[in-house]
Amino acid sequence: MAGGFRVLPLLILCSLFQGILGEEHQPNRPTERISGSAGDVLEDDPVGRLKVFVYELPSKYNKKILQKDPRCLNHMFAAEIYMHRFLLSSAVRTSNPEEADWFYTPVYTTCDLTPNGLPLPFKSPRMMRSAIELISTTWPYWNRTEGADHFFITPHDFGACFHYQEEKAIERGILHLLKRATLVQTFGQRNHVCLKDGSIVIPPYAPPQKMQAHLIPPDTPRSIFVYFRGLFYDVGNDPEGGYYARGARASVWENFKNNPLFDISTEHPTTYYEDMQRAVFCLCPLGWAPWSPRLVEAVVFGCIPVVIADDIVLPFADAIPWEEIGVFVAEEDVPKLDTILTSIPIEVILRKQRLLANPSMKQAMLFPQPAQSRDAFHQILNGLARKLPHEESVYLKSGQKILNWTAGPKGDLKPW
Amino acid sequence: MKQSAVQQSNRRAYPRSSAGDGGGVAAPADGSVFKSPGVIFWPAFHVLCCLVSAAAGFRFSRLLFLLLFSPLAPSSSSSFPRQHLRLPLVRQQPATALPSLLPPPAVLPPPPPPNSKSLASSRVVVGRHGIRVRPWPHPDPAEVARAHEILARVQQEQRLQYGVKDPRPILVVTPTYARTFQALHLTGLLHSLMLVPHPLTWLVVEAGGLSNETSAILSSSLVPVLQLPFREQMPVVWSDRHRLEARMRLYALRVIRERRLDGIVLFADDSNVHTMELFDEIQKVEWMGAVSVGILAHSAAPETPSRKQQREGDKENSHLPIQGPACNSSGHLIGWHTFNTLPYAKKAAIFVGEGVIVLPSKLEWSGFVINSRLLWKEAEGKPNWVRDLDDVGINGEEIESPLDLLKDATLVEPLGNCGKKVMLWWLRAEARYDSKFPTRWVIDPRLEIIVPAKRTPWPEAPPDLVFQQMADDEEHTREHVSKKSKSSRSKNSYRKKKKREANVNTQVSDLSIADVK
């Protein structure tokens, strides 16, 4: 009997330990917990941690633009539209602006498309400026902090620099009026004009249903070593080469076109998604901008992303430990890419695959409709919640003005 | 992804011209030197460059400045490693509208930034970069080997995660005998079994006792082999042969029962073809399972006239005949698909080695898998709808298919998505029963008769063969020229002709030499 009494607390302790250690000890789950520099935050629930007030702008800023061109819902900049829709019906939304922590302005700046489907950014600064003028005159909350507790979604190539060409974007810089606001953008590069401190980097939009439709059974053996489909030379805009992708993509082609381990080409196969699921490494080199939907696709399909973009800032970098999940190759090391990839120890590769298999990792990269828990929408809110509470200094004293409303190129000042 | 690629590629196709920039890169401070004459000169030059670019179809100004200012030889992007042609990143003064300038040659120091606003901390710069190519852009074999090791390990991990958990061992029963095609069939089966990722034991029952040929083939096996000799010789008539094979398989089952071997019994005939998925699928069997077998009965048959008519007339009939379980819509076994042998009964082979089709029996053994515990005398949970193995096959009872081992054939489990998936094929292809082959397929001693190949110049050719050679040369030179061997041959023949002084041939060989030259 006495022995039995001693065994009981031991059993309780053992079961507690099992509970704490969690998923890693279940033999059926081939995944690992993901914790970034901010901690184990991918699974946080933002509801209850912040309140967001959505400004009601006239439909010329959002609905009318979308009606004019519904292609905006499918391209890789569609996050701005889906975020608006998500926030309208989300539990974090509040209709009382006095208790709001963050203010959201729904203006679709990336929806002016060419016949080919590419967004033209020339009117975007004026559109944004017009929206800000409107909210600053209609509501007092902009002037209270000059935008420091407002956030904007600017998913274009170089974020709020509003240009597709890097030199022009750098020359313009971030729109002056957004100087104090938080920007949620896809572009991220360290020490770059177009990424300001405190921005939240998000993944580009990739259609979740389309990717789900192309899943193949997970026991299909991964027999492709390195996979890439895309351009190496942009003959239309950079015929001599060396400009596009800073020469990195051309270098990949010239060095590895004869290498049977590298399945790289410029074709557009219909089995693109299926092939990614049969590959161990997927190259994600920079193009004209360092980010691309390839990263999202690689993560969803369990292919280890090989990121070739110097100083890139990847989505949710404080929540996702990208160094442990992907392989980073400096642009100058591209000729040695095969040596680098084959010399990675096998345990490291298996660990990366386990981290990628974690469903919360895949969820965090997607924008499903309707929104699901732990998806990219929630990670954005988590990121905003982590920036709270606002410091006292963001609240301006009466009469204090920081922004210069006439700064920037003259063309931006024209009303939209 | 198409969209993104198109976007990435075409994103600046249209607005380049609208931006009004011939080359579009910020100019370094060199621009300040040229300010006074530059007011007139540079815009005019810019216009000229634009016109030439429009005519030439590419950005001519870049090429021009590359030629003018760069000390390096102008070359296209690839083929040897280059230095960076780096353009320092500076904030452009809005007033200047200078055309593109490639950086000054490497001799001069890079120009200092005009404003203090430049981003000194940025390592990554915008502009043209060299395309780095290493001197030997080909794969290194050691790295390729490592990559394959990585792939093998990743696939093994995938199998562990998503494949069959706790695979049961497989007992493969194969009846065989020494004949011409045995090496062909048995080696194929051997390699298939070596690829199976589950533990395997191979029971090879051999008619006519153990032979050296079989042992030689099986000696290179990496899977454990149990060779069981069987006293009788394999008959020549197909129907007798089927019966003997059934008896041989029964013998193997008895051995399994005596030694209490554990696993799943699979009947693999040596000439059948198996897929790897079969070995994963049979792990699902509980007691006795059935899979669909594709019958490749027509493979040995020449085109018979009736078959041609059949193909022309009715295309749907040329489906592969399949033997296997038949299920109703809820997935329960209701019957068996068998091969209708009546249309071919007259043309079927009777003796081994005839050149006509070989017909399978009604239900082939290879379509069934049995849990070995069914065969044991005593086993936990052994169902009662199985006959005891000792009672089977005695008193001349003929066992045609494993269903005869059961009292109740309806309890067989259909595998492979209820028989819809065909994972193995039945095939019988044999040489004539009295055909000879070199023992162990080794030609030793060497063959005795040596005949020269037709086109090889033979140095010590006997005299009568030289005439044959000359005749060949004539043909060749008339056909076409410019092959060195032919010229040498014609020279040979030319020399020989010289000795013989045959006019016609000399002319021909002259022609050939002239043509070659």
Side-chain angles (χ1 to χ4, degrees):
Chain A
M1 270 310 243
F5 275 127
R6 261 186 245 127
V7 166
L8 191 61
L10 217 59
L11 282 174
I12 295 175
L13 269 173
C14 279
S15 58
L16 273 177
F17 268 121
Q18 287 277 356
I20 291 170
L21 289 172
E23 287 147 346
E24 283 172 357
H25 283 254
Q26 284 181 26
N28 290 337
R29 294 274 295 274
T31 66
E32 266 187 44
R33 276 200 116 93
I34 294 181
S35 21
S37 55
D40 213 355
V41 293
L42 273 186
E43 295 162 19
D44 282 352
D45 188 8
V47 174
R49 293 171 59 204
L50 79 164
K51 295 236 174 286
V52 176
F53 177 73
V54 181
Y55 284 123
E56 292 263 341
L57 290 186
S59 58
K60 75 166 182 169
Y61 290 100
N62 32 54
K63 289 207 192 58
K64 285 232 181 81
I65 300 179
L66 187 56
Q67 269 171 1
K68 249 194 312 187
D69 200 340
R71 287 180 298 175
C72 293
L73 284 172
N74 299 319
H75 64 181
M76 52 185 167
F77 309 102
E80 58 184 2
I81 302 171
Y82 291 117
M83 189 68 188
H84 182 203
R85 292 185 181 181
F86 163 69
L87 283 173
L88 284 176
S89 54
S90 157
V92 304
R93 183 188 183 193
T94 167
S95 41
N96 177 9
E98 291 299 329
E99 62 168 11
D101 302 304
W102 287 101
F103 294 82
Y104 172 62
T105 317
V107 49
Y108 301 166
T109 51
T110 345
C111 205
D112 182 13
L113 302 186
T114 67
N116 269 347
L118 305 170
L120 285 173
F122 301 119
K123 296 202 195 127
S124 309
R126 290 162 52 201
M127 197 194 302
M128 184 67 85
R129 188 193 169 79
S130 157
I132 295 177
E133 275 173 352
L134 183 63
I135 61 176
S136 61
T137 47
T138 318
W139 288 274
Y141 306 104
W142 177 271
N143 291 328
R144 196 171 61 167
T145 57
E146 297 243 279
D149 54 356
H150 290 58
F151 71 94
F152 295 84
I153 307 206
T154 49
H156 196 243
D157 296 358
F158 289 98
C161 292
F162 293 123
H163 211 281
Y164 47 79
Q165 222 188 73
E166 193 164 359
E167 300 97 352
K168 289 266 159 41
I170 292 169
E171 174 197 332
R172 292 183 57 93
I174 296 181
L175 192 68
H176 182 78
L177 291 176
L178 295 174
K179 205 171 91 152
R180 290 167 58 84
T182 294
L183 296 175
V184 179
Q185 58 187 49
T186 50
F187 171 74
Q189 188 171 317
R190 284 190 278 276
N191 301 323
H192 199 278
V193 179
C194 299
L195 177 72
K196 80 186 196 56
D197 264 342
S199 298
I200 298 177
V201 180
I202 62 171
Y205 175 74
Q209 292 88 350
K210 192 168 164 205
M211 292 199 282
Q212 292 289 338
H214 285 271
L215 286 177
I216 62 177
D219 58 348
T220 313
R222 289 190 187 260
S223 46
I224 302 175
F225 193 62
V226 177
Y227 187 76
F228 176 75
R229 289 289 182 272
L231 290 180
F232 299 101
Y233 293 94
D234 186 352
V235 282
N237 298 305
D238 179 31
E240 303 102 15
Y243 216 113
Y244 176 57
R246 295 197 277 268
R249 287 196 184 197
S251 179
V252 168
W253 176 249
E254 298 301 337
N255 281 303
F256 301 113
K257 60 189 175 189
N258 294 320
N259 195 325
L261 295 173
F262 282 67
D263 185 356
I264 56 179
S265 93
T266 53
E267 287 180 350
H268 286 294
T270 46
T271 53
Y272 176 63
Y273 287 151
E274 287 85 348
D275 291 340
M276 276 189 135
Q277 293 169 74
R278 291 195 306 118
V280 176
F281 290 105
C282 287
L283 295 184
C284 304
L286 72 160
W288 287 112
W291 59 271
S292 92
R294 272 187 194 88
L295 185 73
V296 178
E297 290 160 358
V299 168
V300 168
F301 294 130
C303 180
I304 301 176
V306 179
V307 179
I308 307 173
D310 287 346
D311 283 350
I312 188 174
V313 176
L314 288 178
F316 306 129
D318 51 348
I320 298 177
W322 286 106
E323 284 286 338
E324 295 177 35
I325 291 172
V327 179
F328 288 83
V329 177
E331 287 164 31
E332 62 183 4
D333 289 334
V334 166
K336 295 183 279 188
L337 189 60
D338 56 350
T339 315
I340 294 172
L341 291 180
T342 50
S343 59
I344 302 177
I346 183 68
E347 305 82 30
V348 172
I349 294 180
L350 292 177
R351 175 157 191 266
K352 286 185 202 280
Q353 292 194 318
R354 277 199 297 275
L355 283 168
L356 281 170
N358 194 335
S360 49
M361 178 72 206
K362 298 187 207 273
Q363 270 289 76
M365 289 283 114
L366 293 173
F367 292 95
Q369 288 89 45
Q372 296 160 7
S373 77
R374 304 180 196 170
D375 61 9
F377 299 117
H378 290 87
Q379 302 304 334
I380 296 174
L381 293 178
N382 279 335
L384 289 170
R386 283 198 285 277
K387 296 182 81 173
L388 290 176
H390 295 296
E391 296 167 0
E392 280 305 314
S393 54
V394 308
Y395 294 100
L396 304 178
K397 307 182 189 34
S398 58
Q400 185 186 8
K401 284 243 175 274
I402 298 180
L403 289 182
N404 176 2
W405 285 73
T406 52
K410 289 281 181 299
D412 288 355
L413 300 177
K414 285 195 278 199
W416 182 75
Chain B
M1 63 286 177
K2 220 175 184 165
Q3 208 179 30
S4 66
V6 164
Q7 278 173 330
Q8 293 273 354
S9 66
N10 291 340
R11 60 180 46 252
R12 287 128 66 122
Y14 51 99
R16 272 267 170 201
S17 48
S18 73
D21 204 355
V25 182
D30 273 340
S32 57
V33 177
F34 293 102
K35 258 280 169 51
S36 30
V39 173
I40 299 171
F41 173 65
W42 282 113
F45 192 78
H46 175 86
V47 168
L48 181 65
C49 284
C50 282
L51 288 172
V52 176
S53 303
F58 62 90
R59 248 176 286 134
F60 164 76
S61 54
R62 284 186 174 271
L63 186 62
L64 185 68
F65 284 111
L66 178 67
L67 291 170
L68 282 180
F69 288 120
S70 168
L72 300 170
S75 60
S76 61
S77 37
S78 56
S79 87
F80 57 87
R82 292 177 7 143
Q83 313 271 331
H84 293 309
L85 294 179
R86 228 176 239 225
L87 196 64
L89 180 64
V90 296
R91 285 277 179 89
Q92 191 189 23
Q93 295 163 0
T96 55
L98 296 170
S100 71
L101 270 186
L102 280 181
V107 186
L108 296 178
N115 295 340
S116 56
K117 283 193 210 160
S118 65
L119 303 165
S121 54
S122 171
R123 277 190 315 120
V124 183
V125 290
V126 190
R128 177 172 302 283
H129 289 70
I131 297 173
R132 297 176 188 83
V133 185
R134 64 186 194 207
W136 180 248
H138 293 290
D140 172 40
E143 284 168 14
V144 174
R146 259 205 303 271
H148 282 287
E149 278 169 38
I150 292 175
L151 284 176
R153 182 69 186 89
V154 165
Q155 289 177 14
Q156 184 190 7
E157 189 68 25
Q158 276 184 281
R159 263 201 301 274
L160 285 175
Q161 306 287 1
Y162 305 107
V164 178
K165 304 263 188 306
D166 300 324
R168 290 181 281 173
I170 303 179
L171 304 164
V172 182
V173 171
T174 303
T176 184
Y177 71 108
R179 73 249 194 225
T180 310
F181 276 22
Q182 184 200 32
L184 166 71
H185 296 314
L186 210 59
T187 315
L189 183 58
L190 168 68
H191 286 280
S192 298
L193 295 180
M194 291 206 291
L195 283 177
V196 175
H198 311 307
L200 196 81
T201 307
W202 194 8
L203 288 92
V204 180
V205 187
E206 193 170 354
L210 294 183
S211 69
N212 288 335
E213 280 84 9
T214 319
S215 307
I217 299 168
L218 295 176
S219 62
S220 58
S221 162
L222 295 175
V223 298
V225 179
L226 207 57
Q227 278 187 286
L228 306 169
F230 195 75
R231 202 104 14 104
E232 296 173 38
Q233 292 282 345
M234 190 61 88
V236 158
V237 180
W238 275 112
S239 50
D240 291 338
R241 207 181 125 154
H242 288 314
R243 279 191 278 262
L244 184 68
E245 280 179 4
R247 288 209 295 279
M248 288 161 77
R249 292 186 190 108
L250 213 52
Y251 173 63
L253 293 182
R254 290 205 181 92
V255 169
I256 291 175
R257 177 190 167 92
E258 277 168 30
R259 304 195 194 188
R260 285 179 80 87
L261 296 175
D262 193 15
I264 302 171
V265 179
L266 173 71
F267 298 102
D269 301 337
D270 53 5
S271 53
N272 286 359
V273 180
H274 309 86
T275 61
M276 289 300 116
E277 289 140 7
L278 174 71
F279 296 96
D280 287 336
E281 188 68 24
I282 62 177
Q283 297 284 340
K284 296 183 193 162
V285 77
E286 205 194 328
W287 291 113
M288 182 145 166
V291 289
S292 287
V293 183
I295 304 293
L296 301 174
H298 290 287
S299 55
E303 270 289 297
T304 52
S306 66
R307 222 162 81 84
K308 276 199 200 132
Q309 285 167 10
Q310 187 187 37
R311 208 187 302 179
E312 287 157 20
D314 190 358
K315 281 220 169 132
E316 283 132 26
N317 267 354
S318 60
H319 279 190
L320 181 77
I322 295 177
Q323 276 184 3
C327 296
N328 62 3
S329 50
S330 56
H332 296 299
L333 183 72
I334 50 170
W336 304 95
H337 289 298
T338 59
F339 184 34
N340 185 9
T341 56
L342 281 181
Y344 310 102
K346 297 219 182 95
K347 300 178 224 89
I350 303 176
F351 293 96
V352 172
E354 284 187 83
V356 288
I357 59 172
V358 181
L359 291 178
S361 45
K362 262 215 149 52
L363 276 178
E364 277 294 322
W365 280 76
S366 40
F368 292 91
V369 286
I370 308 176
N371 187 344
S372 65
R373 287 170 197 244
L374 269 186
L375 308 164
W376 292 358
K377 283 200 185 67
E378 298 292 332
E380 265 184 48
K382 183 173 158 178
N384 54 0
W385 38 268
V386 178
R387 292 166 60 189
D388 194 61
L389 200 61
D390 285 337
D391 302 331
V392 172
I394 53 176
N395 300 334
E397 180 195 356
E398 286 297 339
I399 306 294
E400 280 187 12
S401 78
L403 293 179
D404 294 336
L405 295 173
L406 308 177
K407 292 179 197 155
D408 185 4
T410 57
L411 292 164
V412 175
E413 304 147 41
L415 297 175
N417 195 9
C418 212
K420 291 197 195 71
K421 196 158 160 61
V422 174
M423 289 175 289
L424 77 149
W425 292 270
W426 178 94
L427 169 66
R428 291 283 181 267
E430 295 291 349
R432 273 176 51 147
Y433 64 91
D434 57 347
S435 57
K436 304 248 186 309
F437 62 97
T439 42
R440 287 181 231 179
W441 290 98
V442 171
I443 301 174
D444 180 37
R446 302 286 183 87
L447 299 172
E448 289 170 8
I449 300 176
I450 303 172
V451 177
K454 200 173 177 194
R455 289 161 204 250
T456 313
W458 207 247
E460 312 99 42
D464 48 336
L465 275 182
V466 174
F467 278 113
Q468 184 63 34
Q469 214 176 12
M470 289 196 302
D472 291 343
D473 288 344
E474 272 184 40
E475 290 171 22
H476 291 148
T477 49
R478 265 182 230 128
E479 279 166 7
H480 64 134
V481 278
S482 84
K483 276 203 171 174
K484 279 196 180 152
S485 57
K486 288 202 175 66
S487 72
S488 66
R489 208 182 304 128
S490 55
K491 278 189 192 139
N492 253 338
S493 59
Y494 178 78
R495 264 185 261 128
K496 290 199 165 83
K497 295 318 155 288
K498 261 194 146 175
K499 288 181 197 166
R500 294 167 167 273
E501 289 171 3
N503 283 333
V504 172
N505 286 332
T506 320
Q507 284 172 8
V508 165
S509 45
D510 275 338
L511 250 181
S512 66
I513 293 173
D515 286 343
V516 165
K517 284 193 186 146

